Amino acid sequence: MNPNIEEVLLAEPRGFCAGVDRAIEIVERALAKFGAPIYVRHEIVHNTYVVNELKAKGAIFIEELSDVPPGATLVFSAHGVSKAVEQEARDRGFEIFDATCPLVTKVHVEVAKLAKEGYEFIMIGHKGHPEVEGTMGQLSSGIHLVEDVADVATVSPLQTEKLAVVTQTTLSVDDAAEIAAAVRARFPRVREPKQQDICYATQNRQDAVKIMSPQVDLVIVVGSPTSSNSNRLRELAQRLGTESYMVDSADELKAEWFEGKGRVGLTAGASAPEVLVREVIDRVRAFGAVSVRKMDGIEETIKFPLPKGLKLDDIPPPGHIS
Ligand code: SF4
């Protein structure tokens, strides 16, 4: 027991976004409609609990399409896929459901439209992240990745008249702004998206951590190590001067983190279900927390439609993860 913990402050908003909700529902409805197994290319969303729950219901997660048997039903993850992967899946004749977040698809559409007009692109993002691979793979060439300000100095487009910036949706808002400023300084004519590519969920969760961090002595982020937006939340709290840790589940919490801490802030990345947040609260209560207070924040009402073929009301999502 730790008698110092006065209260837990819950960030608002936190946890599931509309794109994650939709992606999970697509797999659950596909399972209900077609039966197990349903193949999913890459983790549907970057969360261990979600992936394990769906595995238990009959989803099989693969990276290579050659691991999917002919005639199978295949779901693309929320992160999106390259044109080459999309084409290969079609050529192999799978029944395909695309769980790419519509906000990622929006970036793909913008890339395709501007490429037709002769644009090259500078993409701000993390190398190797599936969303970045998917977006860069919308074109066979002409997208140059920059991960930080230093990369901006070395990037070498073939021309600078028609150059546009695109961004991974789950970046640090502040880092991305700094990198975009460096891009502007080097390429003053660069075209920037009318509405930023970083999504509303990433922005809102980071804004909530900015409000919460100065009010607490410790920030706990619920999220898996592979989750980009969860990592950004932990880094943000740390940058704001508040000790912070990310946990995949309540089991990973360490009693010593809470020693001498009066107020504990708690948030969750966009792919982390609320059930894990509840488990973390229970554990922090066991450590000695006396009360839990939900902070004021933006209420998110956005909801994305399901793809054709999975909309029917007669396919109820069985035991939807939340
Ligand atoms: S974090 Fe943003 S881009 Fe990613 S699935 Fe959620 S809403 Fe879509």
Side-chain angles (χ1 to χ4, degrees), residues 204-226:
N204 289 348
R205 280 149 192 71
Q206 288 180 20
D207 287 348
V209 165
K210 281 184 183 169
I211 294 167
M212 181 177 73
S213 286
Q215 302 182 43
V216 297
D217 306 304
L218 170 72
V219 168
I220 302 293
V221 179
V222 182
S224 290
T226 45

Side-chain angles (χ1 to χ4, degrees), residues 290-301:
V290 283
S291 65
V292 177
R293 179 160 61 90
K294 202 168 103 174
M295 298 190 68
D296 290 336
I298 290 174
E299 194 189 331
E300 294 175 342
T301 51

Side-chain angles (χ1 to χ4, degrees), residues 121-158:
F121 299 87
I122 294 183
M123 172 154 202
I124 305 173
H126 299 292
K127 194 175 179 184
H129 189 279
E131 182 190 324
V132 169
E133 288 177 353
T135 300
M136 292 189 71
Q138 295 304 300
L139 301 179
S140 52
S141 64
I143 306 186
H144 310 272
L145 181 65
V146 295
E147 294 193 271
D148 51 32
V149 168
D151 283 351
V152 176
T154 59
V155 75
S156 49
L158 297 175

Side-chain angles (χ1 to χ4, degrees), residues 17-20 78 101-104 131 169-170 199-202 229 270 304:
C17 60
V20 164
C101 176
L103 299 181
V104 174
E131 182 190 324
T169 55
T170 51
C199 74
Y200 78 96
T202 299
N229 78 88
F304 297 130

Side-chain angles (χ1 to χ4, degrees), residues 46-304:
H46 283 152
N47 186 268
T48 313
Y49 177 92
V50 170
V51 167
N52 287 340
E53 286 283 297
L54 292 175
K55 272 185 191 165
K57 293 177 181 177
I60 297 177
F61 294 87
I62 51 94
E63 295 298 326
E64 300 299 331
L65 298 187
S66 54
D67 292 334
V68 184
T73 301
L74 175 71
V75 178
F76 293 145
S77 79
H79 314 97
V81 295
S82 67
K83 286 282 179 211
V85 169
E86 200 182 324
Q87 189 58 50
E88 186 187 343
R90 273 212 211 96
D91 292 346
R92 288 178 180 269
F94 304 134
E95 175 86 34
I96 301 167
F97 290 100
D98 189 358
T100 303
C101 176
L103 299 181
V104 174
T105 303
K106 187 193 97 181
V107 179
H108 292 184
V109 168
E110 184 76 355
V111 165
K113 189 181 122 222
L114 292 178
K116 274 198 193 125
E117 296 172 24
Y119 275 84
E120 269 181 84
F121 299 87
I122 294 183
M123 172 154 202
I124 305 173
H126 299 292
K127 194 175 179 184
H129 189 279
E131 182 190 324
V132 169
E133 288 177 353
T135 300
M136 292 189 71
Q138 295 304 300
L139 301 179
S140 52
S141 64
I143 306 186
H144 310 272
L145 181 65
V146 295
E147 294 193 271
D148 51 32
V149 168
D151 283 351
V152 176
T154 59
V155 75
S156 49
L158 297 175
Q159 47 79 35
T160 57
E161 284 301 298
K162 287 191 164 185
L163 201 55
V165 173
V166 286
T167 319
Q168 187 180 336
T169 55
T170 51
L171 297 180
S172 150
V173 173
D174 297 335
D175 285 355
E178 202 185 323
I179 300 167
V183 172
R184 266 195 310 276
R186 185 165 169 215
F187 306 109
R189 294 168 60 90
V190 74
R191 177 187 172 128
E192 294 186 74
K194 278 196 211 85
Q195 220 189 337
Q196 66 161 8
D197 295 332
I198 292 177
C199 74
Y200 78 96
T202 299
Q203 173 88 53
N204 289 348
R205 280 149 192 71
Q206 288 180 20
D207 287 348
V209 165
K210 281 184 183 169
I211 294 167
M212 181 177 73
S213 286
Q215 302 182 43
V216 297
D217 306 304
L218 170 72
V219 168
I220 302 293
V221 179
V222 182
S224 290
T226 45
S227 163
S228 173
N229 78 88
S230 304
N231 277 292
R232 303 296 82 81
L233 293 177
R234 194 207 62 76
E235 282 169 11
L236 176 59
Q238 197 75 45
R239 257 188 226 179
L240 293 167
T242 311
E243 195 176 322
S244 66
Y245 300 94
M246 192 172 77
V247 292
D248 213 356
S249 70
D251 298 343
E252 293 182 357
L253 292 169
K254 293 196 170 67
E256 61 260 32
W257 296 345
F258 298 86
E259 275 165 24
K261 306 293 194 302
R263 278 176 149 186
V264 176
L266 178 57
T267 187
S271 47
E274 187 65 9
V275 60
L276 299 182
V277 173
R278 295 285 141 205
E279 286 173 14
V280 166
I281 291 172
D282 289 346
R283 183 62 66 94
V284 181
R285 277 192 200 277
F287 287 151
V290 283
S291 65
V292 177
R293 179 160 61 90
K294 202 168 103 174
M295 298 190 68
D296 290 336
I298 290 174
E299 194 189 331
E300 294 175 342
T301 51
I302 189 163
K303 194 159 168 50
F304 297 130

